[in-house]
Amino acid sequence: VFRTALLLGYRSAPIYPNIIAAEEQMRGLTQVMPHINMSDSAPKYVGEGETIPLGDISYGSKEFRIFKVGRGIKLTDEIVSYASLNLLSIFLRDFGVKMGHATDVLAIDCLVNGEQPGGAESAPVIGVADGANLTYLDLLRIWIRMGRIGRTPNSILGGEDMALDTLNLPEFRTPVLGSPQEKLILKSPVPRSTNFYVHGNINTNQAIIVDPTAAMVKFNGWPMKVESERIVSNQTEAFYVTLQTGFAKLFRDAS
């Protein structure tokens, strides 16, 4: 009963399922991933009989560890015996929601700082045009640039203030009447609709623009583990919930 309630909460609130490319099962505490940097691999003109030039592609591997996150709660015999099981499940569901938020924190930290020491795969930082206020032009610049390199930036993550600033942009709140005299079709994939996810672990003046199909992968150790112990001395039942999980960057330019 408790596990079902926890899973309901855990699956209902997290952001991370919407911003990851895939989930993989770990075979140990550490995982090795390929790391490819196509720094100079553009095609070159090749004359008849000439040797095809080699591009500059550096590759290797990177290693990271998954984390164990968990928390415990105690319930007295009085609560277990006299409280409605349905009512108790509602409170335990909220405990699952907090576990989901903790997993989101790991995902956001990976998006911003990467999983490598020293910030080797941290997200590139771009300032706003007028130095103080967010404008629609700032978003367009990022969308077009990411579109040029094959990314589809259809998700934004930010705090409450950034969500309010973005929603308050005239381009998002002013209905468009009529049609322009000339029709311009932009072939770079600027998103026609964008998902904005609000989370408290993102700085007030920052937003993260993400291509969920290429940004990062979630690795799983064991699934949500719910264990309990009986403490006879004070007639309580303690429940412990743990997860083994972690996130890794796929492509640095996808966030």
Side-chain angles (χ1 to χ4, degrees):
V1 172
F2 293 163
R3 180 183 171 83
T4 302
L6 287 164
L7 283 173
L8 269 174
Y10 181 74
R11 289 170 177 165
S12 64
I15 295 170
Y16 77 82
N18 305 292
I19 55 173
I20 58 174
E23 288 197 49
E24 295 286 339
Q25 185 65 38
M26 294 281 284
R27 292 184 175 87
L29 288 175
T30 59
Q31 177 75 27
V32 177
M33 282 184 64
H35 178 71
I36 302 173
N37 180 29
M38 304 181 77
S39 55
D40 182 19
S41 55
K44 302 289 185 182
Y45 174 77
V46 182
E48 184 178 345
E50 289 183 355
T51 301
I52 302 172
L54 290 172
D56 230 351
I57 301 179
S58 60
Y59 61 92
S61 62
K62 60 180 182 177
E63 186 176 293
F64 73 99
R65 294 178 63 88
I66 56 174
F67 300 91
K68 179 163 66 174
V69 292
R71 200 66 192 264
I73 53 172
K74 282 184 179 180
L75 300 175
T76 63
D77 281 0
E78 285 77 8
I79 292 175
V80 175
S81 299
Y82 303 128
S84 161
L85 198 59
N86 187 48
L87 192 61
L88 192 58
S89 295
I90 293 173
F91 285 102
L92 287 169
R93 196 182 308 166
D94 191 56
F95 189 55
V97 169
K98 287 176 172 57
M99 290 292 291
H101 286 172
T103 310
D104 285 342
V105 170
L106 293 177
I108 290 167
D109 183 60
C110 179
L111 281 179
V112 176
N113 303 310
E115 81 287 350
Q116 296 301 301
E121 293 204 345
S122 59
V125 179
I126 302 167
V128 295
D130 84 356
N133 300 309
L134 178 73
T135 65
Y136 187 64
L137 181 66
D138 299 316
L139 294 175
L140 276 178
R141 178 175 287 109
I142 298 171
W143 286 340
I144 291 174
R145 177 63 57 86
M146 291 182 76
R148 286 184 60 204
I149 57 177
R151 307 293 175 220
T152 307
N154 59 5
S155 297
I156 302 175
L157 283 78
E160 290 182 6
D161 290 339
M162 182 58 70
L164 289 170
D165 291 343
T166 306
L167 287 169
N168 199 41
L169 292 175
E171 289 78 7
F172 290 122
R173 60 184 172 83
T174 306
V176 177
L177 302 175
S179 57
Q181 182 177 346
E182 300 292 337
K183 189 173 184 180
L184 175 69
I185 300 174
L186 183 66
K187 291 299 185 180
S188 181
V190 170
R192 301 304 303 165
S193 62
T194 304
N195 301 313
F196 198 115
Y197 299 99
V198 180
H199 199 279
N201 268 68
I202 304 171
N203 289 342
T204 301
N205 60 343
Q206 289 184 351
I208 312 168
I209 289 82
V210 182
D211 176 1
T213 64
M216 62 181 175
V217 175
K218 181 176 184 285
F219 287 94
N220 300 315
W222 62 57
M224 181 183 284
K225 187 183 289 188
V226 182
E227 300 169 293
S228 64
E229 65 176 356
R230 173 75 176 161
I231 306 169
V232 180
S233 61
N234 57 6
Q235 293 186 314
T236 58
E237 194 89 14
F239 291 88
Y240 300 93
V241 186
T242 53
L243 286 168
Q244 251 193 352
T245 190
F247 295 85
K249 281 278 185 87
L250 272 180
F251 297 96
R252 183 171 180 253
D253 57 16
S255 61

